[in-house]
Amino acid sequence: MVSSVLLALLAAASAPLLSSAQTQITVNGTSSHPIPSTLWGLMFEDISHSGDGGLYGELLQNRAFQQVTPGTTAALNAWSAVGNTTLSVIADSPAISSSLPNALSVTFPSGAPRSGVQNSGYFGIAVRASSTYTASFFYRFPSTLPSAALTATVSLAGASSGTTFASGTVALRPTAQWTQATVALRPRTSAPDINNVFEVTLAAGAFVGTVHLGMFSLFPPTFGGQANGMRADIAQALLDLKPSFFRLPGGNNLEGQTIAQRWQWNNTVGPLTARPGRVGDWGYVNTDGLGLYEYLVWIELMGMVPIMAIWSGFALGGAAVPANQLAPYIEQSRQQIEFVIGSTSTPGGALRASLGHPAPFPLLYVEVGNEDFLQPSTYQSYRWAAFVNALQADYPNLRFLATSSFNSPALSPKPQSWDIHVYQTPTWFTQNSAFYDSFARDGTTFFEGEYAAISTNPNDIFGAPSSGRLVYPTVQSAVSEAAFMMGFERNADVVFAASYAPLLAHVTQNQWTPNLLSFDSGTVIKSTSYWAQWMFSNNRGDVYLPSTLASTSGALFWSVVQRVSPPAFIIKVSNTGTSASTGVFRLPSAVASTGQLIQLAGAANASNTPTTPSAITPQSRTIATGQNLSFSAPAMSLSVITVALV
Ligand code: LX5
């Protein structure tokens, strides 16, 4: 008795707390614009080993000694001796190819036990019993030829345990000419962790002398079986996002620190022995094994379209090509486009066909540079015009995107489209959900090519990372980005595409945080922001339905779209505040009495991390719905409600 009185008193006392703030939202039944099919997609560049050591399936690091200085310890990165060999990187003559001048010189002394070389991979190697690995390398004997073929053992082994998980043998013929050896490795058991190495060894006493090795490779099965393709678990995590486009190859990594170090498409296609690699913009060598053709074939496999950048005459170190010297660079860009879409009667199209893809790839968007607001003067005075005027004449159906700050300085010819970037605080994203509302409807369209809430400290955005910088996206950063993303749907008549950046990063070998997906050589971690992207992209509508505008100083943001088939309203609600908030949606027509809710929620600073990879994931359940749909959004949450029209 006493306890029930107490309960009633407690209930009365807590009632005001339960009734959260209410916002009345009227949804218009007449759509204002279709949602473009390109809206949600991916921005990619090789940063934080997102390409080499990440998406690109190759497992060996420094596989071909590209762009290293022979004779240095650094040139031996990821390599070490097994047994008694002596290793050094040399500039070999003959070289494997003119693009690959360097090789690994391995000397076996007399009386050596089992000896050879090992590679530690990209910070470990995952060894899975279900996979067949294809290993290969080039070899030659520069001086003393063995009297007969040698039997080399190629294996995958625990780095500290010494356990051999897989091994195979391959004959090394006595030859002074570069020769390729290939062997398939089928692990008997999976390794318990990624602390594994790849080894090439000779039995005790098998050989005394020197062998040169180079252009190694170790590939697990790739996503979709693509030759020289992508790591399956990372590609699958990206496919789950149902992305529509893929921006490549940068980002800063397009530009080079110097003009000579820029990304050059023609150095990234053809046999791996024809790719010199380059010093990337993020502090490590890019193998360019993940080249333009690999990107395009994979983009097609994934059902995406490319948004491809061309170099715009500016290197990150500050050098710009003078106007009267731009012609060869414009021609290189023209050839890049021709490789992608030219008919097979052109040299570029014929090269594409020779690699296995006679049909042109579906290219519509070409981005001229990256962040050319870093040198707006030369972009405005000649670089933009020189590239666009020449290339638009050759390819009138392409849309060229400008990358300087929107209309500042104004460009001529007037860009049809712009790529706009924003790295900011969660607060900025919530306060700017109406960012595109005031943009002119004059045919100009926008690509939000990079955006992310990166720090809770406004002073930290453009300065050195300090106290507020996020290591992994948080619930707060994800729901704040979602508030901004509501604005992409509302303004999808001018915003045709949007992508979070950066997309991928190795958990320890990174130059930037936070990132959408983090990985090591064995696992992939889906961040809170990944799940926000997933919720938007997997719950697209065909048309946008205007509704009462949210207050940009408030915490509750929403977007209502209509799906044609099967007919449904899809309502997205982001609550960026610290208390629950109710939206009462007055829908324009009758709906089913129940609908499906997908919700991401949690503590503001909660993240998915290597130790808590699934702390925050979207949860689904059925909820009661109706034409007057009252929905209480928990603090720090993103919700998607799908309700069928009746
Ligand atoms: C940013 C901008 C990281 C990047 C650039 C991209 O996603 O590479 O386009 O880097 S920044 O701010 O250091 O220039």
Side-chain angles (χ1 to χ4, degrees):
M1 190 63 190
V2 173
S3 62
S4 68
V5 169
L6 202 61
L7 281 177
L9 282 171
L10 280 172
S14 63
L17 292 177
L18 290 175
S19 70
S20 58
Q22 281 206 350
T23 308
Q24 304 295 323
I25 300 154
T26 303
V27 182
N28 195 322
T30 307
S31 99
S32 52
H33 55 268
I35 306 283
S37 61
T38 44
L39 189 57
W40 305 111
L42 310 176
M43 183 286 181
F44 182 86
E45 69 172 323
D46 206 333
I47 177 175
S48 305
H49 282 286
S50 55
D52 286 324
L55 179 61
Y56 182 45
E58 173 65 58
L59 297 176
L60 302 182
Q61 187 172 189
N62 193 19
R63 67 181 179 185
F65 313 99
Q66 293 160 289
Q67 305 294 326
V68 298
T69 305
T72 61
T73 308
L76 285 166
N77 179 31
W79 290 97
S80 52
V82 176
N84 277 357
T85 52
T86 310
L87 310 184
S88 67
V89 173
I90 55 160
D92 204 5
S93 179
I96 291 178
S97 68
S98 57
S99 301
L100 298 180
N102 298 334
L104 183 61
S105 174
V106 186
T107 300
F108 294 76
S110 65
R114 182 184 80 93
S115 296
V117 296
Q118 66 175 218
N119 185 286
S120 51
Y122 284 101
F123 325 103
I125 298 175
V127 178
R128 298 192 174 100
S130 53
S131 300
T132 297
Y133 295 75
T134 305
S136 62
F137 58 91
F138 285 74
Y139 67 92
R140 76 181 198 95
F141 296 91
S143 41
T144 314
L145 295 185
S147 51
L150 298 174
T151 300
T153 299
V154 178
S155 48
L156 290 168
S160 22
S161 65
T163 310
T164 301
F165 297 104
S167 76
T169 58
V170 65
L172 306 185
R173 293 192 288 109
T175 172
Q177 302 309 311
W178 282 109
T179 307
Q180 192 176 25
T182 302
V183 59
L185 299 176
R186 295 183 189 82
R188 285 174 290 276
T189 53
S190 296
D193 54 37
I194 58 171
N195 188 22
N196 304 305
V197 291
F198 167 84
E199 292 185 345
V200 179
T201 56
L202 297 177
F207 177 60
V208 177
T210 297
V211 62
H212 289 180
L213 303 173
M215 191 52 242
F216 289 79
S217 181
L218 177 68
F219 257 86
T222 59
F223 178 82
Q226 181 185 350
N228 193 37
M230 310 304 165
R231 180 173 145 178
D233 57 350
I234 291 180
Q236 184 61 49
L238 297 176
L239 183 68
D240 292 346
L241 284 173
K242 294 210 173 77
S244 296
F245 68 84
F246 191 77
R247 176 177 170 223
L248 73 134
N252 289 351
N253 204 37
L254 167 72
E255 300 173 82
Q257 292 300 319
T258 64
I259 293 170
Q261 287 175 345
R262 72 194 185 281
W263 182 87
Q264 301 188 61
W265 77 275
N266 43 297
N267 283 344
T268 77
V269 297
L272 295 179
T273 50
R275 305 187 195 186
R278 59 181 276 267
V279 177
D281 284 283
W282 293 103
Y284 55 93
V285 172
N286 290 185
T287 67
D288 283 337
L290 176 47
L292 182 54
Y293 186 72
E294 285 78 18
Y295 281 124
L296 293 166
V297 168
W298 181 68
I299 288 169
E300 190 167 68
L301 257 180
M302 293 276 289
M304 302 186 286
V305 294
I307 296 181
M308 183 181 79
I310 54 172
W311 192 71
S312 66
F314 169 71
L316 270 182
V321 178
N324 62 3
Q325 293 170 28
L326 265 186
Y329 301 94
I330 296 171
E331 173 57 13
Q332 191 177 27
S333 302
R334 194 198 60 72
Q335 291 175 359
Q336 179 183 336
I337 295 169
E338 184 182 274
F339 175 76
V340 182
I341 60 172
S343 91
T344 53
S345 61
T346 64
L351 174 59
R352 184 188 67 242
S354 77
L355 298 177
H357 203 285
F361 289 101
L363 181 71
L364 180 56
Y365 296 102
V366 172
E367 182 154 15
V368 182
N370 174 64
E371 296 199 340
D372 279 275
F373 50 74
L374 292 172
Q375 204 185 78
S377 55
T378 56
Y379 200 61
Q380 182 193 33
S381 58
Y382 65 91
R383 291 191 293 116
W384 164 259
F387 278 89
V388 172
N389 287 339
L391 298 172
Q392 189 83 75
D394 286 335
Y395 297 101
N397 296 327
L398 293 180
R399 276 184 90 96
F400 292 90
L401 284 83
T403 71
S404 53
S405 303
F406 175 47
N407 274 350
S408 169
L411 296 175
S412 175
K414 184 178 186 304
Q416 294 174 297
S417 301
W418 295 79
D419 176 1
I420 293 183
H421 299 172
V422 55
Y423 295 102
Q424 265 292 355
T425 60
T427 304
W428 187 96
F429 279 102
T430 61
Q431 291 174 347
N432 286 274
S433 78
F435 186 81
Y436 285 101
D437 290 19
S438 57
F439 278 49
R441 270 51 184 172
D442 64 355
T444 311
T445 61
F446 298 90
F447 172 31
E448 186 72 42
E450 298 181 24
Y451 65 98
I454 61 170
S455 177
T456 54
N457 176 359
N459 298 322
D460 179 38
I461 297 300
F462 301 109
S466 66
S467 58
R469 188 70 180 244
L470 303 179
V471 178
Y472 294 95
T474 60
V475 171
Q476 184 190 29
S477 66
V479 301
S480 307
E481 288 152 8
F484 193 58
M485 291 156 73
M486 304 293 175
F488 300 156
E489 289 193 334
R490 189 169 59 257
N491 292 285
D493 53 334
V494 294
V495 178
F496 71 94
S499 43
Y500 181 101
L503 180 64
L504 284 163
H506 189 279
V507 287
T508 58
Q509 307 298 316
N510 60 63
Q511 294 83 47
W512 181 286
T513 66
N515 300 282
L516 201 65
L517 281 169
S518 299
F519 61 86
D520 63 18
S521 55
T523 50
V524 181
I525 299 152
K526 296 171 174 176
S527 71
T528 52
S529 291
Y530 170 93
W531 287 118
Q533 295 288 326
W534 181 88
M535 289 168 72
F536 274 79
S537 185
N538 279 269
N539 294 283
R540 303 176 188 217
D542 297 292
V543 294
Y544 184 77
L545 300 181
S547 57
T548 308
L549 290 177
S551 159
T552 50
S553 58
L556 197 68
F557 300 89
W558 57 86
S559 166
V560 184
V561 295
Q562 186 167 342
R563 188 178 68 199
V564 171
S565 178
F569 295 128
I570 301 172
I571 305 169
K572 302 182 180 83
V573 183
S574 167
N575 182 358
T576 63
T578 50
S579 56
S581 183
T582 296
V584 182
F585 291 87
R586 297 185 193 288
L587 296 171
S589 60
V591 295
S593 59
T594 61
Q596 199 58 28
L597 169 68
I598 306 171
Q599 192 164 74
L600 189 77
N605 63 358
S607 290
N608 294 333
T609 70
T611 48
T612 58
S614 304
I616 307 290
T617 57
Q619 305 296 315
S620 283
R621 64 176 197 271
T622 301
I623 58 166
T625 48
Q627 195 171 345
N628 278 346
L629 200 163
S630 175
F631 177 70
S632 174
M636 292 293 159
S637 67
L638 171 62
S639 306
V640 178
I641 305 156
T642 303
V643 56
L645 273 70
V646 292

